[in-house]
Amino acid sequence: MTQAPVGPGNIRRRHDREIVSLAVPAFGALVAEPLFVMADSAIVGHLGTPQLAGLGIAAALLTTAVSVFVFLAYATTAAVARRVGAGDLPAAIRQGMDGVWLALLLGAAVIAVVLPVAPWFIDLFGASDTAAPYAVTYLRISSLGIPAMLMVLAATGILRGLQDTRTPLSVAIGGFALNAALNVGLVYGAGLGIAGSAWGTVIAQFAMAAVYLCVVVRGARRYGASLRPDVAGIRASAQAGVPLLVRTLSLRAVLMIATAVAARLGDAEIAAHQIILSLWSLLAFALDAIAIAGQAIIGRYLGAEDAEGARQACRRMVEWGVAAGLVLGLLVAVARPLFIPLFTGDHTVRDTLLPALLVVALSQPVSGVVFVLDGVLMGAGDGRYLAWAMLLTLVCFAPVALLVPALGGGLTALWWAMALMMSVRMLTLWLRARSGRWLVTGATR
């Protein structure tokens, strides 16, 4: 039997199948995570406005605390995928377990900080006297679930590195359903109020962590991988995560600066800005799903010492990113007059939103390239470059954004500054991808 030729078309189709099989479940899992907070908000909202306000403040703090440690997923994905590409599955699982142990240690450290200073954090956010007690209660109880949340991040990274994004999707859906059921039962059935919502979230997070650990332990036993903590391995995981932590903090600083500037522009502007950020986050989930596929695929190719395969996969994923960005941008541009009324009935806010959303729509193809190349370089373990590139982006963005109020610009001008920020990111990432210096092959970088 004659073997089918491996032409450019066949290679593209192979990459397309890999990208779709990893990105679609990853998108579902990414969207499922924010549903935790939405379910809590819907249930607690019926208790009263102070309770909902307290939940909003505490949830924002928790989300920030957990998102700072997202490197547990990213670094673990890249490291595990390399070992998979090298054909060493026991070492891949062992590498992933180092990330899980690191997550457990970091989670314990965060609890030790949050429990005693929770009231100070809440006061820092300017909570009212009526909302503050509820915010402190929710924050203190929910913080007990942070070790589980971080373990979920690390375990998700293990499975992504093993080229499995379907299991994280199933766990996320199950966790959401359990969280919603527990919240209803504990808030209203047991009469625990906002404390019941917090306990429901903690239990759901630990249940998710337990499911992940069962999957990982089963894999470790199958391949004879050790599950015991390894100090050298945990230290290596932490060192690999530091550059990605710098990158994440720099990106958070960009978003905080943008929100602070929008607040200076006026009430209508900050209201419109929050609506745009919500939409921007949803668009980011779609693009980040391709980036997650990139982390897993690129790591595997480099681990298998196939630099050319990694380069071709990168090229195809960039094409996917541009196409996805064009589609998302077109949807935002065409549908913006239709969905804006869903968010606000204030005509001033609507008028502010329309032109700013057009900027968001126009910048989506750039965002598509940024997310994909970010994922590619993460998959290559090129965290140090990503850290420096994001710091440079912050340095470029901050003065431009802070000048917007001084020069009399409005929300549209601020989002042009955000588009500039994404363009700087695209330039720095494209230059790195073009240089080929990220193409470091082998089981470890």
Side-chain angles (χ1 to χ4, degrees):
M1 183 179 294
T2 304
Q3 189 174 3
V6 184
N10 289 331
I11 292 174
R12 282 197 297 271
R13 283 191 291 273
R14 185 183 69 199
H15 288 317
D16 290 345
R17 285 193 296 270
E18 285 186 327
I19 293 167
V20 170
S21 66
L22 290 171
V24 172
F27 174 70
L30 288 169
V31 172
E33 287 300 320
L35 294 179
F36 272 82
V37 177
M38 290 179 63
D40 288 1
S41 299
I43 294 167
V44 171
H46 291 286
L47 295 174
T49 300
Q51 289 90 333
L52 184 58
L55 170 66
I57 294 169
L61 284 166
L62 283 168
T63 301
T64 300
V66 174
S67 65
V68 163
F69 298 109
V70 74
F71 69 83
L72 289 166
Y74 294 159
T76 303
T77 298
V80 171
R82 276 185 176 269
R83 298 283 191 179
V84 169
D88 192 349
L89 287 177
I93 296 173
R94 171 68 266 172
Q95 186 95 41
M97 280 305 302
D98 291 334
V100 173
W101 283 112
L102 176 62
L104 188 59
L105 292 173
L106 290 174
V110 172
I111 290 178
V113 172
V114 171
L115 285 180
V117 299
W120 180 81
F121 278 133
I122 299 303
D123 289 340
L124 188 65
F125 266 63
S128 67
D129 291 339
T130 53
Y134 297 110
V136 171
T137 296
Y138 190 90
L139 180 59
R140 278 181 165 159
I141 296 173
S142 294
S143 67
L144 299 176
I146 287 180
M149 296 178 196
L150 299 188
M151 290 170 68
V152 165
L153 284 177
T156 300
I158 296 175
L159 295 179
R160 289 174 182 172
L162 293 171
Q163 316 297 297
D164 176 10
T165 55
R166 294 179 182 274
T167 300
L169 172 59
S170 300
V171 175
I173 293 173
F176 167 72
L178 178 61
N179 178 66
L182 286 170
N183 268 257
V184 172
L186 295 175
V187 171
Y188 298 112
L192 296 179
I194 195 169
S197 177
W199 280 116
T201 299
V202 170
I203 295 170
Q205 291 290 348
F206 272 102
M208 291 172 65
V211 172
Y212 273 120
L213 287 177
C214 287
V215 173
V216 173
V217 168
R218 188 165 60 243
R221 287 177 176 171
R222 182 185 307 156
Y223 296 106
S226 173
L227 295 171
R228 286 179 294 184
D230 176 66
V231 175
I234 294 172
R235 186 186 303 116
S237 294
Q239 290 172 345
V242 168
L244 295 180
L245 175 61
V246 173
R247 167 201 166 274
T248 302
L249 290 175
S250 300
L251 182 57
R252 278 278 162 191
V254 165
L255 298 177
M256 289 176 64
I257 290 171
T259 300
V261 170
R264 288 186 182 184
L265 297 176
D267 290 345
E269 284 76 7
I270 186 60
H273 179 73
Q274 289 304 115
I275 294 171
I276 294 175
L277 271 183
S278 299
L279 176 63
W280 198 66
S281 298
L282 180 61
L283 297 173
F285 286 141
L287 298 175
D288 203 27
I290 304 175
I292 287 170
Q295 293 171 32
I297 293 170
I298 294 299
R300 192 189 73 230
Y301 272 114
L302 294 178
E305 301 195 10
D306 186 357
E308 183 56 31
R311 192 188 295 274
Q312 291 175 354
C314 172
R315 188 179 301 116
R316 188 56 177 164
M317 280 183 282
V318 168
E319 292 171 358
W320 270 78
V322 172
L326 286 171
V327 171
L328 292 173
L330 183 62
L331 285 174
V332 172
V334 172
R336 60 197 173 107
L338 302 177
F339 64 71
I340 286 177
L342 298 176
F343 291 96
T344 179
D346 189 316
H347 290 288
T348 303
V349 175
R350 290 186 186 183
D351 293 342
T352 305
L353 269 172
L354 277 168
L357 277 175
L358 184 58
V359 177
V360 173
L362 291 172
S363 65
Q364 284 309 294
V366 173
S367 296
V369 176
V370 168
F371 275 85
V372 166
L373 290 181
D374 209 37
V376 165
L377 296 183
M378 283 184 190
D382 205 9
R384 184 173 298 180
Y385 181 85
L386 289 172
W388 283 111
M390 196 62 229
L391 282 171
L392 175 63
T393 301
L394 174 60
V395 169
C396 293
F397 169 77
V400 175
L402 293 173
L403 278 173
V404 168
L407 297 178
L411 188 67
T412 302
L414 174 60
W415 276 92
W416 275 118
M418 290 287 285
L420 172 65
M421 179 271 295
M422 294 301 289
S423 298
V424 172
R425 287 189 72 189
M426 183 180 72
L427 178 61
T428 58
L429 297 174
W430 177 77
L431 289 173
R432 185 64 167 182
R434 186 184 180 191
S435 73
R437 294 178 183 174
W438 56 280
L439 290 165
V440 180
T441 59
T444 57
R445 182 179 173 86

